[in-house]
Each structure stands twice: as C-alpha cells, then as structure tokens.
Amino acid sequence: MNVQVKKVYRNSYLNIISALFKKLGLPQLIDHLVPVDPQCQTRVSDAVQAILYNVFDGRQALVHLEHWAQEVDCEKLIRPDLHPSWLNDDALARHLDRLYEAGIHNVISTCLIHIYLKEGLSLRAFHADTTDKTVYGAYESASLEALQITHGYNRHHRWQKQIGFGLVGNEDGIPFYGDVHDGNLPDKTWNPEVLSRVHEQLKQAKMEDEWIYVADSAAMTKDTLAQTKAVNAFLITRGPSSLRIVKTALAEADAEDTTWSDPFTLAERNGATYRVWETASTYEGHPVRLIVVESSALDQRKGKTLEKERTKEAELLREEQARWERHPFSCREDAEQALASLKASLRPRFHRVEAAVEEIVRLKKRRGRPKKGAEPEVETLYFLHLDVEFDQDAWEQARRKASRFVLVTTVPKEWKGQPMDAQEILKLYKGQISVEMNFAFLKDPFFTDEIYVKKPERVAVLGYLFLLALAIYRVFQRRVRQFITPEHPLKGPGGRKLTRPTGQAIFQLFQYVNVVLFKLPDGRIQRSLDRSLTPDQRRILQGLGMDESIYV
C-alpha cells in the first residue's frame, strides 16, 4: 500500500481559534456585511481570517502573508478548496479597501455586538480607556475624512508617529466597542463622543436600560457628565487631585472624627486592604458621590516620590547642622534671633528637629606668642545646635495620605435592587485593569508589532481587525476559565498549576500539535495528528465543545 506524506502542518492552537471563530458565526456575518464579489476567488471573510490567524501566529508583515499561508492548513483553518496563493498582496489590499468602503467601524461594531449576544455577556457595566500605537512610513490619502496619522507624544512622553485605539469592554476584557482614531485625539474629547456611540450599540443589542461607564480621570469633565446623563448612564471615574471638591474631600477625610470603614480586601493578587469614607458634593451642576479610598498598597510612583522627598529633606537637615556648627555668634541675642528664623524656615515633614542655642567658653585666639606670665583670655560664643531624628509616625502618616485617592460617581446608592455602597463602587473601578490588559495585547509585538501599509485607510482597517482579534482572544480565555478552577487546575510548563490561565498559556500547551497530510493510493487526502493529544489538551478541547476533528 503506497501512502505518501504530502505535507506536515504546524497547526498548534490556530485550529482552536478557527473553530471558535466559526462557532461564533463570524465568517457568515462578515460576508453578509461585505457581500462576496463573484469576480474574486476569495471572500472578505477569507482575508479577515487569514490576517487574524496570522496575528495569533506571531504576525508577519502583510507582504509575507502569502508565504505564511503556504505553511499552515488554510483549507482546514479557513475553508475547503482555498489555495494559499489566492491570499496575495493584491487580494488582501483589495479586501482591506472593500472593508473600509463598507464602513469598517460598523462592520467590527456589528461583530462585537454579535459576540456579546452569542456569549450572553452582561451589558451592565463597561470600562473605557485609550492608548496609542506606533506606525511607520509615509502615508497618502485622497480623503480628509480618513484616519489622521500624526506625530505626538505617547504615554511615555516619547515623540512618535502614531494612531489611537479606544476600547470599551466588560470586566473580562471583551470589547463591546472599539475604535481606531487620530493619533492626537485627547481623552477629554474622546470620552463624551464615545458615550453616544456605545449607547447606539446598546440599542442595536436591544438594551436601552441604565448602564455604568467606568473611565480614568480624563472623564471628569462637564461634557462627559452631561453626556452620561443624556445616554441614560452613570459614571465612575477617578477624581483629579487638582479639583477643589477632591481636595476638600481629602481634607475632610483626614479629620480626627472621620469614620472610616473597616478594612476589607478585594479579589486581587497583591492582597491589598482598603478603607473607604464617603461624602457628597456637586460638580458643574451635577450631584456626585465622592469616595475617598485608602489602600495598603502604595502606588509605586508615589512611593518613589516620597522616598526622594525624604532623602532630600535628610540631606538638607545635615547641611543645616554642619552650617550652624561652623557659625558662631558673639552674643546670645543674635543667636536667639537666628534660632527663631531657623525654626520658622525648616518645617520638616519626616523628621523631628530639636534646635537650641549652645553656649561655649573657650580660650581666645591671639596672634603671636603670648607674654610670659600673662593670664590667658577667654571668650564666650554661641552656636545653634540641631538634633535631627527620623519621625516614623509622620512617615507612616504621609504614606497613608499618599495611598489615598478619590472616586467620583453618579451611581445611586441603590441600583437595580442592589446596594451600590462605596465598596461596590471601588470593586467596579478596580475592574479597569481589564482594559489595561487589553492594551498590553494590542502592544505586544508577538501579536501586532508596528503597522506599515501604504494607505491610512488600510491602517484603520488593520487596526480594527486587531480589535476583533482581541475580542476573539478574550472570548477564548473566558471560555477556558469557566471550566479551569482552583479545584481542577491545568498543569502548565514545569508542572506549574494554572487556575486562571491566560490565553497565551493555553496556546503554549498546544504549541507542538502538528497535522500530517497523507495521500492515499486512490488519490484521497487524509489528515492525521502526528501524536496523540495529552489529557490536558483533550480536557481543554472538551471544555470548549470541540474535539480532534478541528485538526483532522
């Protein structure tokens, strides 16, 4: 029996992503939104899948995608009878242009709404934020309405050519809304604009009930508060320390008679404990709740700032000690005046300073040799003596104050039959980490690397496809975490127990799954795994509602 090995594919985890993409019904939805061109060998959904799987496989530049397609099982990943050579530069560029002309924002928004409805995800609260992404090259566009790729300062104050990403998603990090915007759009402008767009998407999802919008301190503006009210939403944000109402709340919280809550913890890895105290105020005519939060985990940047201040203060006090020890006064009155001036000027934060006038009687120095039998002359001098001691209590108090921040919210104390006390508001705000983790995905060179295509319209489309890839990744991770529990963990590399595995950790477990294509004597092609799946691999597939058929 003459059986030939035709090809060996390193498929790994891509088949799982492909199966999930199809289970969500996204190929059909995309081809409905951007109809198939009968003159093309490929569909828009083919190009979208090829780019997405290429992103998940570590992303090559688009000019290398056709070569990459030769190395993966396109017929199994995308659709039967699809030849890799059809995914050439011209075909991909044509489909990117068609996506842009069809309204790429609406296409991706419809896909995100579809995912939320398909997964049965909550539409109760959303977390929002923006970030920037580096791009390279000279871009030309005939349209003034196209994405404006501009130079600007990124989050780390580096000057670069960039575009902006905006994301609004749930606590699992699954985007409900995403956009690719001009590289210099400020967050204070983006927040009120995006509120109305999210509201429109909620109406498309048949949800016109109240909802909560969680954002960083850039959302604390008159326009954002007004827009939040207009779209039937409530705001949770961090109050900027420069606001008068925030300064007042922090001062009131520092009073001796302030009644703080008992310490409590949230489900966080760092195990930080919190205390909260709440008051109320108004801002730009809007009534708001102000929640002062004290955390046992001092912000790293604030901690470094305090350490610098303490070190600088200690050096200054040492200099003052040395200075006054070398500066004698001839009369006590002058020394007392200098002492009063010194006490008024020092005002140390982290040290206790005891200063006093010290009287010293010593031999008076004369020129030349003293006369024989002459009585030695003495003089009385006055010095300022400083005793400096580190004030541990003041230091701890300063750290406590530095670890305080103020949350501003319009959420009522009871909402939809549930108490929304200060602890619940803090818990919702801490979910903001989900958006920040998404930005780590969008900036991870393994997934997205720097963007370089010829037209800003195509940059926009590629950016939106990255957002769709992010949504698929988060859905995959969420589904896995539903059946991987602390009681039934996975075994990761080195025997490490995985109780809340990331998508990348799961990818590693499938890294070396290969598919062999055999050509049988009758000409038929048969697929087979090069080795049996491990128990953990089978468990993951079973938990996702899949089996070996996604490979063979």
Side-chain angles (χ1 to χ4, degrees), residues 335-544:
E336 295 286 358
Q337 288 180 355
L339 176 63
S341 178
L342 177 63
K343 287 182 175 179
S345 65
L346 282 181
R347 301 182 183 278
R349 289 185 65 193
F350 311 119
H351 297 80
R352 285 189 292 268
V353 179
E354 294 293 333
V357 175
E358 190 175 55
E359 179 181 307
I360 295 179
V361 178
R362 68 183 185 184
L363 291 174
K364 191 173 184 179
K365 293 181 180 179
R366 292 283 188 180
R367 286 185 179 182
R369 181 177 296 181
K371 293 180 181 180
K372 189 175 181 179
E375 288 289 332
E377 292 186 61
V378 297
E379 63 179 351
T380 303
L381 298 176
Y382 301 90
F383 294 85
L384 300 188
H385 180 71
L386 276 67
D387 278 326
V388 179
E389 182 182 355
F390 176 64
D391 191 339
Q392 186 66 38
D393 291 339
W395 172 249
E396 293 298 332
Q397 186 178 9
R399 285 178 60 85
R400 280 198 303 272
K401 286 186 178 181
S403 67
R404 292 175 184 172
F405 58 91
V406 178
L407 298 180
V408 183
T409 183
T410 59
V411 177
K413 291 193 174 182
E414 185 171 328
W415 183 58
K416 295 187 175 182
Q418 178 184 352
M420 300 299 289
D421 57 14
Q423 184 171 336
E424 184 65 23
I425 297 299
L426 174 62
K427 185 178 178 181
L428 280 170
Y429 178 76
K430 296 295 285 185
Q432 194 73 356
I433 187 67
S434 63
V435 186
E436 296 167 7
M437 293 298 291
N438 281 342
F439 292 154
F441 176 97
L442 290 174
K443 293 192 173 190
D444 189 338
F446 179 82
F447 290 115
T448 56
D449 213 345
E450 288 80 5
I451 303 173
Y452 177 62
V453 289
K454 292 181 179 180
K455 298 165 63 177
E457 292 87 350
R458 293 175 188 169
V459 172
V461 173
L462 201 55
Y464 275 103
L465 293 183
F466 291 163
L467 294 178
L468 182 58
L470 170 63
I472 300 300
Y473 177 80
R474 289 301 183 200
V475 168
F476 165 70
Q477 180 173 275
R478 176 180 178 272
R479 285 193 177 192
V480 170
R481 286 180 173 180
Q482 287 178 327
F483 61 87
I484 302 299
T485 63
E487 295 76 23
H488 301 91
L490 283 175
K491 182 183 285 188
R496 184 165 55 95
K497 290 183 179 180
L498 303 176
T499 58
R500 279 183 58 81
T502 63
Q504 282 183 300
I506 301 300
F507 289 168
Q508 289 177 359
L509 295 178
F510 286 85
Q511 190 71 46
Y512 301 106
V513 176
N514 300 317
V515 174
V516 183
L517 262 66
F518 294 103
K519 186 175 182 180
L520 303 180
D522 59 4
R524 290 184 297 115
I525 300 297
Q526 181 175 311
R527 288 173 169 81
S528 176
L529 291 172
D530 68 336
R531 72 195 75 180
S532 298
L533 295 177
T534 67
D536 273 346
Q537 289 171 337
R538 292 182 183 277
R539 181 186 171 198
I540 291 168
L541 291 182
Q542 184 178 3
L544 293 170

Side-chain angles (χ1 to χ4, degrees), residues 136 151 159 177 186 193-194 223 298 322 336 461 507 509 539 545:
Y136 291 94
H151 279 89
W159 184 253
Y177 169 92
E193 290 178 357
V194 81
D223 291 342
L298 181 63
E336 295 286 358
V461 173
F507 289 168
L509 295 178
R539 181 186 171 198

Side-chain angles (χ1 to χ4, degrees), residues 24-202:
L24 291 170
L26 293 174
Q28 298 90 330
L29 178 60
I30 290 170
D31 286 335
H32 171 73
L33 296 169
V34 189
V36 176
D37 186 342
Q39 295 183 338
C40 292
Q41 293 175 306
T42 54
R43 310 164 184 170
V44 170
S45 63
D46 297 337
V48 169
Q49 288 183 83
I51 292 172
L52 291 188
Y53 304 152
N54 180 242
V55 166
F56 281 110
D57 200 30
R59 186 161 185 266
Q60 305 292 316
L62 287 185
V63 292
H64 299 303
L65 195 142
E66 182 183 352
H67 176 73
W68 168 85
Q70 303 280 351
E71 305 300 319
V72 298
D73 193 355
C74 283
E75 292 191 52
K76 192 68 178 175
L77 290 176
I78 301 176
R79 63 179 172 88
D81 303 321
L82 178 69
H83 198 278
S85 64
W86 296 351
L87 298 169
N88 53 57
D89 296 349
D90 291 336
L92 291 174
R94 185 165 55 248
H95 288 311
L96 290 176
D97 291 342
R98 291 188 67 207
L99 279 164
Y100 184 81
E101 292 164 4
I104 182 61
H105 178 80
N106 292 332
V107 171
I108 299 302
S109 293
T110 302
C111 289
L112 296 180
I113 294 170
H114 178 80
I115 289 171
Y116 261 72
L117 296 177
K118 193 84 173 177
E119 292 292 293
L121 300 173
S122 171
L123 301 173
R124 171 177 173 265
F126 294 106
H127 301 269
D129 206 352
T130 66
T131 192
D132 47 67
K133 178 71 179 170
T134 305
V135 296
Y136 291 94
Y139 301 90
E140 296 181 3
S141 175
S143 172
L144 295 176
E145 298 178 358
L147 177 69
Q148 298 301 304
I149 299 172
T150 59
H151 279 89
Y153 288 101
N154 68 3
R155 297 298 195 273
H156 302 289
H157 306 290
R158 288 196 292 266
W159 184 253
Q160 64 180 20
K161 187 179 289 187
Q162 62 188 23
I163 59 175
F165 281 110
L167 278 178
V168 179
N170 69 355
E171 60 184 6
D172 288 314
I174 301 174
F176 178 73
Y177 169 92
D179 63 34
V180 182
H181 54 254
D182 297 349
N184 57 2
L185 182 68
D187 286 2
K188 289 184 178 181
T189 303
W190 181 81
N191 275 298
E193 290 178 357
V194 81
L195 275 162
S196 60
R197 295 172 188 167
V198 173
H199 182 57
E200 288 301 317
Q201 288 193 196
L202 286 168

